[in-house]
mmCIF file of all heavy atoms in Angstrom:
data_model
loop_
_atom_site.group_PDB
_atom_site.id
_atom_site.type_symbol
_atom_site.label_atom_id
_atom_site.label_comp_id
_atom_site.label_asym_id
_atom_site.label_seq_id
_atom_site.Cartn_x
_atom_site.Cartn_y
_atom_site.Cartn_z
ATOM 1 N N GLN P 1129 41.107 -16.139 14.443
ATOM 2 C CA GLN P 1129 40.161 -16.339 15.511
ATOM 3 C C GLN P 1129 39.987 -15.048 16.337
ATOM 4 O O GLN P 1129 40.869 -14.235 16.440
ATOM 5 C CB GLN P 1129 40.620 -17.470 16.438
ATOM 6 C CG GLN P 1129 40.652 -18.844 15.725
ATOM 7 C CD GLN P 1129 41.053 -19.938 16.692
ATOM 8 O OE1 GLN P 1129 41.617 -19.693 17.721
ATOM 9 N NE2 GLN P 1129 40.748 -21.211 16.316
ATOM 10 N N LEU P 1135 38.178 -11.511 7.094
ATOM 11 C CA LEU P 1135 37.368 -12.085 6.049
ATOM 12 C C LEU P 1135 38.134 -12.052 4.739
ATOM 13 O O LEU P 1135 38.696 -11.039 4.360
ATOM 14 C CB LEU P 1135 36.029 -11.304 5.898
ATOM 15 C CG LEU P 1135 35.148 -11.249 7.154
ATOM 16 C CD1 LEU P 1135 33.903 -10.463 6.862
ATOM 17 C CD2 LEU P 1135 34.772 -12.657 7.656
ATOM 18 N N ARG P 1146 17.913 -29.385 -0.825
ATOM 19 C CA ARG P 1146 17.087 -30.375 -0.167
ATOM 20 C C ARG P 1146 15.583 -30.177 -0.493
ATOM 21 O O ARG P 1146 15.208 -29.104 -0.939
ATOM 22 C CB ARG P 1146 17.291 -30.317 1.377
ATOM 23 C CG ARG P 1146 18.727 -30.691 1.785
ATOM 24 C CD ARG P 1146 18.979 -30.418 3.245
ATOM 25 N NE ARG P 1146 19.033 -29.002 3.592
ATOM 26 C CZ ARG P 1146 19.518 -28.493 4.686
ATOM 27 N NH1 ARG P 1146 20.025 -29.308 5.623
ATOM 28 N NH2 ARG P 1146 19.525 -27.195 4.894
ATOM 29 N N ARG P 1167 31.856 -14.109 13.254
ATOM 30 C CA ARG P 1167 33.234 -13.996 12.780
ATOM 31 C C ARG P 1167 34.205 -14.182 13.942
ATOM 32 O O ARG P 1167 35.312 -14.778 13.771
ATOM 33 C CB ARG P 1167 33.487 -12.668 12.093
ATOM 34 C CG ARG P 1167 34.775 -12.570 11.320
ATOM 35 C CD ARG P 1167 35.076 -11.107 10.946
ATOM 36 N NE ARG P 1167 35.737 -10.413 12.033
ATOM 37 C CZ ARG P 1167 35.552 -9.148 12.318
ATOM 38 N NH1 ARG P 1167 34.675 -8.394 11.641
ATOM 39 N NH2 ARG P 1167 36.228 -8.584 13.291
ATOM 40 N N ARG P 1168 33.861 -13.724 15.098
ATOM 41 C CA ARG P 1168 34.707 -13.794 16.291
ATOM 42 C C ARG P 1168 34.502 -15.077 17.078
ATOM 43 O O ARG P 1168 35.114 -15.265 18.134
ATOM 44 C CB ARG P 1168 34.483 -12.587 17.195
ATOM 45 C CG ARG P 1168 34.934 -11.295 16.572
ATOM 46 C CD ARG P 1168 34.874 -10.173 17.557
ATOM 47 N NE ARG P 1168 35.517 -8.967 17.070
ATOM 48 C CZ ARG P 1168 35.762 -7.859 17.841
ATOM 49 N NH1 ARG P 1168 35.414 -7.855 19.086
ATOM 50 N NH2 ARG P 1168 36.313 -6.812 17.292
ATOM 51 N N VAL P 1188 18.160 -14.482 -7.738
ATOM 52 C CA VAL P 1188 17.244 -15.101 -8.704
ATOM 53 C C VAL P 1188 17.222 -16.611 -8.441
ATOM 54 O O VAL P 1188 18.289 -17.229 -8.201
ATOM 55 C CB VAL P 1188 17.678 -14.790 -10.121
ATOM 56 C CG1 VAL P 1188 16.854 -15.569 -11.107
ATOM 57 C CG2 VAL P 1188 17.647 -13.325 -10.411
ATOM 58 N N SER P 1194 12.222 -30.399 -4.797
ATOM 59 C CA SER P 1194 10.966 -31.129 -4.782
ATOM 60 C C SER P 1194 10.034 -30.626 -3.642
ATOM 61 O O SER P 1194 10.553 -30.204 -2.569
ATOM 62 C CB SER P 1194 11.228 -32.631 -4.562
ATOM 63 O OG SER P 1194 11.885 -32.851 -3.339
ATOM 64 N N GLY P 1195 8.737 -30.620 -3.904
ATOM 65 C CA GLY P 1195 7.810 -30.206 -2.890
ATOM 66 C C GLY P 1195 7.580 -28.712 -2.787
ATOM 67 O O GLY P 1195 6.797 -28.259 -1.947
ATOM 68 N N VAL P 1205 13.869 -12.968 -5.784
ATOM 69 C CA VAL P 1205 13.466 -13.177 -4.386
ATOM 70 C C VAL P 1205 14.460 -12.576 -3.452
ATOM 71 O O VAL P 1205 15.636 -12.401 -3.781
ATOM 72 C CB VAL P 1205 13.254 -14.635 -4.082
ATOM 73 C CG1 VAL P 1205 12.073 -15.269 -4.850
ATOM 74 C CG2 VAL P 1205 14.492 -15.456 -4.347
ATOM 75 N N GLY P 1284 0.836 2.671 12.718
ATOM 76 C CA GLY P 1284 0.100 3.658 13.511
ATOM 77 C C GLY P 1284 0.572 3.732 14.935
ATOM 78 O O GLY P 1284 -0.174 4.133 15.839
ATOM 79 N N CYS P 1297 20.614 11.179 15.214
ATOM 80 C CA CYS P 1297 19.278 11.464 15.741
ATOM 81 C C CYS P 1297 18.437 12.241 14.716
ATOM 82 O O CYS P 1297 17.256 11.936 14.508
ATOM 83 C CB CYS P 1297 19.393 12.265 17.041
ATOM 84 S SG CYS P 1297 19.859 11.250 18.464
ATOM 85 N N LEU P 1303 13.549 10.102 9.032
ATOM 86 C CA LEU P 1303 13.005 8.841 8.566
ATOM 87 C C LEU P 1303 11.584 8.626 9.115
ATOM 88 O O LEU P 1303 10.812 7.875 8.485
ATOM 89 C CB LEU P 1303 13.935 7.713 8.951
ATOM 90 C CG LEU P 1303 13.589 6.304 8.414
ATOM 91 C CD1 LEU P 1303 13.573 6.277 6.891
ATOM 92 C CD2 LEU P 1303 14.572 5.281 8.950
ATOM 93 N N LEU P 1333 12.462 -2.628 22.718
ATOM 94 C CA LEU P 1333 13.193 -3.618 21.899
ATOM 95 C C LEU P 1333 14.675 -3.417 22.190
ATOM 96 O O LEU P 1333 15.253 -2.400 21.804
ATOM 97 C CB LEU P 1333 12.860 -3.467 20.421
ATOM 98 C CG LEU P 1333 13.428 -4.459 19.468
ATOM 99 C CD1 LEU P 1333 12.876 -5.851 19.760
ATOM 100 C CD2 LEU P 1333 13.120 -4.048 18.011
ATOM 101 N N VAL P 1389 12.120 -24.033 10.517
ATOM 102 C CA VAL P 1389 11.705 -23.392 9.258
ATOM 103 C C VAL P 1389 10.210 -23.179 9.237
ATOM 104 O O VAL P 1389 9.731 -22.215 8.626
ATOM 105 C CB VAL P 1389 12.165 -24.206 8.043
ATOM 106 C CG1 VAL P 1389 13.677 -24.207 7.908
ATOM 107 C CG2 VAL P 1389 11.610 -25.654 8.076
ATOM 108 N N LYS P 1392 9.597 -19.899 10.963
ATOM 109 C CA LYS P 1392 10.073 -18.779 10.114
ATOM 110 C C LYS P 1392 9.046 -18.544 9.005
ATOM 111 O O LYS P 1392 8.778 -17.377 8.672
ATOM 112 C CB LYS P 1392 11.440 -19.080 9.535
ATOM 113 C CG LYS P 1392 12.543 -19.068 10.555
ATOM 114 C CD LYS P 1392 13.897 -19.413 9.910
ATOM 115 C CE LYS P 1392 15.016 -19.411 10.943
ATOM 116 N NZ LYS P 1392 16.337 -19.727 10.336
ATOM 117 N N ALA P 1393 8.500 -19.589 8.425
ATOM 118 C CA ALA P 1393 7.531 -19.445 7.372
ATOM 119 C C ALA P 1393 6.274 -18.702 7.879
ATOM 120 O O ALA P 1393 5.697 -17.875 7.207
ATOM 121 C CB ALA P 1393 7.127 -20.791 6.802
ATOM 122 N N ALA P 1405 1.830 -4.899 1.316
ATOM 123 C CA ALA P 1405 1.408 -3.817 0.437
ATOM 124 C C ALA P 1405 2.349 -2.610 0.539
ATOM 125 O O ALA P 1405 2.664 -1.980 -0.486
ATOM 126 C CB ALA P 1405 -0.017 -3.383 0.780
ATOM 127 N N GLN P 1426 35.470 -7.502 4.551
ATOM 128 C CA GLN P 1426 36.082 -7.049 5.782
ATOM 129 C C GLN P 1426 35.877 -5.558 5.967
ATOM 130 O O GLN P 1426 35.613 -5.074 7.099
ATOM 131 C CB GLN P 1426 37.577 -7.393 5.818
ATOM 132 C CG GLN P 1426 38.252 -7.019 7.152
ATOM 133 C CD GLN P 1426 37.672 -7.737 8.331
ATOM 134 O OE1 GLN P 1426 37.514 -8.946 8.328
ATOM 135 N NE2 GLN P 1426 37.262 -6.976 9.366
ATOM 136 N N GLY P 1439 21.677 2.751 8.542
ATOM 137 C CA GLY P 1439 20.948 1.783 7.724
ATOM 138 C C GLY P 1439 21.763 0.529 7.471
ATOM 139 O O GLY P 1439 22.533 0.089 8.311
ATOM 140 N N VAL P 1441 24.478 -1.954 5.407
ATOM 141 C CA VAL P 1441 25.664 -2.086 4.539
ATOM 142 C C VAL P 1441 25.429 -3.324 3.682
ATOM 143 O O VAL P 1441 25.287 -4.392 4.215
ATOM 144 C CB VAL P 1441 26.941 -2.179 5.342
ATOM 145 C CG1 VAL P 1441 28.122 -2.437 4.450
ATOM 146 C CG2 VAL P 1441 27.147 -0.906 6.182
#
Side-chain angles (χ1 to χ4, degrees):
Q1129 296 182 341
L1135 301 179
R1146 294 172 290 195
R1167 192 193 85 215
R1168 292 189 172 189
V1188 174
S1194 62
V1205 292
C1297 285
L1303 186 60
L1333 184 64
V1389 292
K1392 290 180 180 179
Q1426 184 59 52
V1441 175

